[in-house]
Amino acid sequence: MVSSMVTIASLAKKKQRGEKIAMLTAYDFSMAKLMDTAGADIILVGDSLGQVVLGYDSTLPVTLADMIHHTKAVVRGTRRALVVVDMPFMSYQIGPRQALQNAGKLVKEAASVATKPEEGKPASQSVSIAVKLEGGREVASTVRRIVDAGIPVMGHIGMQPMSASKFGGARIHGKAEAEAEQILADAKALEEAGVFAMVLEVIPAELAKRVTESVSVPTIGIGAGPHCDGQVLVSYDLLEMYGAPFRHVKQYANLGEQAEQAFRDYIADVKSGLFPGAEHSF
Ligand code: KIV
């Protein structure tokens, strides 16, 4: 049975005990509810919503208002998983002060719709909300400022979709030893700055193992092999609802094809008069 509330402390214990952490992206109430019920430890309101929900070709146009809108929907559907919200492009890059203001706004708005704890349960039983931001050593002081204000922060290193053009497009990071050393240094800097966990995106499995063994906080891999403390996938990728999946994605369903077929069947039924039948009429 899936029941207990996921907290920063319970995630740390999972790393200590060698229990894997499962994280998924959600952008709306219904999906969040399904994932929460299914037992996801962390639900990420990823800025990948730019592509899979809003139809942009990158995460860059996503705004703070977009993130707040979708986060509120996700929080309404979540009873026990930890909710992590991506800080969108240019909402934290100007400096720690801007970052803290925007992280505060995200968390305040999200918390305003969080389900009240059940009667008789302490307030600490309501869903926990954290933010995630991309970057390594260059964002360490920003992370520190947000964490010091009491907002939990998840890091994100390796491939960083917001900076893909700076690094020559989407590619595996850390194949060369010099780049691997940079990623290890980024991981240590984030740990020292106070992140409670970090995403490792599209790096070699052996490097992900080195990072995982060298930091005390959980690592969550995407395209980073089996040695991370947890895994994350974009839900639209694992359900195959958004184009051809990447190599690192395991397909658990093909909802895109099924949905398109259902729409075709419905349209054909409407046009031929088969729908609605007597059983759907009053
Ligand atoms: O935006 C997102 O979905 C993410 C995942 C790829 C980790 O950051």
Side-chain angles (χ1 to χ4, degrees), residues 23-27 44-51 59 67 86 132 134 154 156 159 161 199-201 220-222 232-235 237 248:
M23 169 161 137
L24 281 163
T25 66
Y27 318 99
L44 170 67
V45 190
D47 59 357
S48 49
L49 73 84
Q51 290 104 314
T59 57
M67 294 309 298
D86 262 339
K132 170 163 87 59
E134 293 178 15
M154 176 181 273
H156 184 152
M159 196 181 90
V199 166
L200 307 179
E201 181 163 358
I220 312 287
I222 172 163
V232 57
L233 281 178
V234 171
S235 52
D237 287 340
H248 64 258

Side-chain angles (χ1 to χ4, degrees), residues 36 64 93 130 135 190 229 231:
D36 193 62
L64 196 67
Q93 285 87 346
L190 289 177
D229 299 304
Q231 296 292 327

